[in-house]
Amino acid sequence: MKDWNEECAVVGVYNVNNAAILSYYSLFAMQHRGQEASGISTSDGTKITTLKGNGLVTKVFDEENLKKLQGKSSIGHNRYSTAGEDSINEAQPIFARYSLGEMAIVHNGNLTNAKAVRKMLIDKGAIFQSHLDTENLIHLIAQSQKEHLVDRIIDALSYVDGAYCFVFLSRSKMFVVRDRYGLRPLSLGKIYNDDGSVGYIVASETCAFDLVGAEYVRDVAPGEMLIFEGAYTPLNACEPKSVQVFAPKSKPCVFEYMYFSRPDSQVYGKNVYEIRKNMGIELAKEHKLNADIVIPVPDSGVAAALGYAKQSGIDFELGIIRNHYVGRTFIEPLQRMRELKVRLKLNPISSVIQDKEIIVIDDSVVRGTTSKQIVQILRKAGAKKVYLLISAPPTISPCYYGVDTPDKDQLICANKSIEEVRSYIGADFLGFLSINGMLRSIGGNQEFCKACFDGQYVDEYLLQSAK
């Protein structure tokens, strides 16, 4: 599946020497969540320094400019545009000076009432420097009449709806907060410094912890704020202060398991790889097909294809190879070369596919154009029959919670029957995992936001807007 666009990644590091270095490596580990821009802010206790730019982490930062980011606390961000435009003004962290001092903010998610809040702020005289919904928080905090920053943040959050994981950095403290639904993932980790003191890290995915040698502690709870202040010395190694800002209504985004998260991450307390494999097993139970081989659309279809092969007894093969070094293409292919975009990333192994009936496992069908091109490529490589199975339910509604998805009129499964979609794609068979099968794959009693699959949005602003 290639029609979804990634979300963003956030990281916060506190009480660690050279905190910017840990933020850098954490952002590198989470590069898959956003490739448009990257940024880091650090505090040395007296001032906040921010560096950001367009492009990948390794393009924005080098050894020389990382030396400018001194301090024991740091926040960072990888951007994929869900709100705003593709310019350096839209990159995060957002830095501001205000009556209480200096502050920087990073945000993963999307504020569903951002336009209404922005209009209110502009009517009060606010001047915006970007199109980011995140910038609303700067103005809400600056205009708050509360005495302390923590109270101003809580006051500001009372105005916003939607999905958010915010990390706020002041000159001496760090604040982390997750929305009441827990729509986007955020985890807390612990780092042991050489002097025996304890540092802390929060990140969108635990794969960041693995790279920097942090110990996973727990997820930040829905509606919870963590307050990091003071020095966590060997004699005072307690966890950061926790405040339940909003009553939790936990419904995290289920699509993190299908596509966005790295398979080696723990998301909502469970391993992504194992859940994707379980989805393939459930898919095999729901769609019992006869074929010669099972192949994945790499990379997000690999684990599900392994699960399908294991359950069905059909051989697993890597029939499609992905080129991992392809970025964005700036030259549109000619009409006669319309497959070029897909072929730049995906190329079949003809000797594996020739004269075979193949089951292809992918994670979703969005517009249908990429799936159609993949089927065409496989047929040209000699496949006798192509059975396309999707390890997720049909996508029928757009996401408003931090994932850049097409409008409903562009979602093929929202406007056509499965048979009509199959005919458009050109597959011999098309099957999806049921919603119940998806939930069985995950296990447990956790409720999820699955609005992209059932159209049931969880946040109050969208519910009211839909009435």
Side-chain angles (χ1 to χ4, degrees):
M1 186 282 294
K2 307 292 174 290
D3 291 305
W4 292 92
N5 290 320
E6 287 87 343
E7 304 155 305
C8 299
V10 296
V11 62
V13 178
Y14 189 85
N15 199 46
V16 177
N17 291 327
N18 297 316
I21 301 297
L22 266 72
S23 287
Y24 169 84
Y25 282 113
S26 297
L27 293 176
F28 180 84
M30 299 186 292
Q31 186 72 84
H32 59 286
R33 297 185 72 89
Q35 299 87 42
E36 286 190 354
S38 186
I40 295 174
S41 291
T42 57
S43 174
D44 61 4
T46 60
K47 69 178 186 301
I48 293 175
T49 304
T50 301
L51 287 175
K52 56 185 177 179
N54 290 327
L56 302 178
V57 176
T58 51
K59 176 187 175 184
V60 175
F61 298 102
D62 56 31
E63 186 175 355
E64 192 61 34
N65 62 24
L66 280 171
K67 290 179 181 178
K68 301 175 183 177
L69 297 171
Q70 296 296 313
K72 299 183 70 173
S73 57
S74 173
I75 63 173
H77 188 269
N78 283 338
R79 169 176 160 78
Y80 188 93
S81 59
T82 58
E85 298 177 349
D86 184 13
S87 75
I88 190 61
N89 287 336
E90 314 302 311
Q92 298 184 41
I94 298 176
F95 170 79
R97 294 183 177 90
Y98 70 119
S99 60
L100 297 184
E102 297 180 345
M103 176 176 53
I105 303 177
V106 292
H107 171 210
N108 176 28
N110 204 46
L111 304 181
T112 52
N113 65 338
K115 289 182 179 179
V117 173
R118 177 173 290 229
K119 183 180 184 304
M120 176 193 74
L121 290 165
I122 290 174
D123 289 345
K124 291 182 178 181
I127 299 174
F128 284 81
Q129 300 298 315
S130 76
H131 295 85
L132 292 176
D133 53 0
T134 315
E135 193 177 355
N136 288 357
L137 267 292
I138 290 282
H139 294 285
L140 289 169
I141 290 169
Q143 292 183 11
S144 174
Q145 299 302 304
K146 302 293 183 180
E147 182 178 357
H148 301 292
L149 177 55
V150 61
D151 298 316
R152 289 193 179 201
I153 292 173
I154 294 172
D155 186 30
L157 292 172
S158 69
Y159 287 90
V160 302
D161 286 297
Y164 54 80
C165 290
F166 282 115
V167 187
F168 302 85
L169 181 67
S170 72
R171 288 175 293 185
S172 60
K173 301 177 183 179
M174 187 172 79
F175 306 86
V176 175
V177 65
R178 193 174 174 207
D179 69 77
R180 71 190 72 199
Y181 306 101
L183 284 159
R184 303 268 67 87
L186 191 65
S187 298
L188 171 68
K190 183 183 293 186
I191 299 171
Y192 296 95
N193 297 312
D194 292 339
D195 62 0
S197 62
V198 175
Y200 286 96
I201 179 172
V202 293
S204 297
E205 289 190 38
T206 62
C207 59
F209 298 169
D210 298 334
L211 183 59
V212 303
E215 172 189 311
Y216 171 79
V217 176
R218 63 179 178 88
D219 283 359
V220 179
E224 181 184 24
M225 173 186 281
L226 295 179
I227 303 169
F228 301 81
E229 57 183 323
Y232 295 92
T233 65
L235 297 177
N236 177 28
C238 58
E239 288 190 19
K241 181 181 178 182
S242 171
V243 177
Q244 194 66 42
V245 179
F246 301 109
K249 300 179 180 179
S250 182
K251 280 198 173 181
C253 170
V254 75
F255 207 76
E256 286 283 347
Y257 287 133
M258 278 75 169
Y259 182 69
F260 294 114
S261 299
R262 266 179 45 165
D264 52 335
S265 286
Q266 298 286 123
V267 172
Y268 316 137
K270 296 186 178 182
N271 177 256
V272 174
Y273 173 82
E274 292 298 330
I275 287 175
R276 288 180 184 167
K277 194 172 179 181
N278 290 343
M279 289 173 176
I281 291 172
E282 290 294 330
L283 196 60
K285 293 177 181 177
E286 294 183 355
H287 299 285
K288 298 178 180 179
L289 302 175
N290 292 318
D292 297 308
I293 56 173
V294 176
I295 68 171
V297 175
D299 288 326
S300 54
V302 172
L306 285 168
Y308 190 96
K310 177 182 178 181
Q311 179 66 27
S312 67
I314 301 173
D315 289 343
F316 172 92
E317 294 281 358
L318 289 175
I320 303 173
I321 300 301
R322 180 182 177 187
N323 183 345
H324 291 85
Y325 301 97
V326 176
R328 293 193 167 191
T329 54
F330 294 95
I331 302 175
E332 289 292 328
L334 300 173
Q335 181 63 27
R336 62 185 173 84
M337 299 174 66
R338 60 186 178 275
E339 290 181 3
L340 178 60
K341 276 189 170 181
V342 175
R343 282 191 174 274
L344 281 171
K345 293 184 178 180
L346 304 173
N347 197 47
I349 304 175
S350 297
S351 60
V352 173
I353 294 166
Q354 183 76 38
D355 297 325
K356 300 284 199 321
E357 295 187 8
I358 60 176
I359 296 171
V360 187
I361 309 291
D362 205 351
D363 55 31
S364 66
V365 173
V366 183
R367 293 183 177 91
T369 52
T370 301
S371 298
K372 182 176 184 176
Q373 290 169 346
I374 289 171
V375 171
Q376 290 172 348
I377 288 171
L378 292 172
R379 290 202 187 281
K380 287 184 179 180
K384 286 170 61 177
K385 289 190 176 181
V386 179
Y387 308 117
L388 179 61
L389 294 179
I390 307 301
S391 59
T395 302
I396 63 168
S397 295
C399 177
Y400 298 103
Y401 301 136
V403 181
D404 185 19
T405 57
D407 294 333
K408 190 161 187 171
D409 61 0
Q410 298 181 55
L411 297 173
I412 191 169
C413 290
N415 299 284
K416 296 179 183 293
S417 69
I418 291 179
E419 174 55 27
E420 288 172 332
V421 176
R422 182 209 62 78
S423 177
Y424 171 79
I425 289 172
D428 294 285
F429 179 84
L430 173 64
F432 293 84
L433 183 63
S434 68
I435 289 180
N436 286 336
M438 173 185 70
L439 296 176
R440 285 194 300 271
S441 304
I442 300 168
N445 299 317
Q446 171 72 63
E447 291 189 29
F448 291 93
C449 174
K450 46 188 188 299
C452 51
F453 303 133
D454 64 11
Q456 300 298 308
Y457 296 102
V458 301
D459 117 61
E460 294 170 5
Y461 182 81
L462 282 181
L463 290 174
Q464 292 169 3
S465 299
K467 292 180 180 179

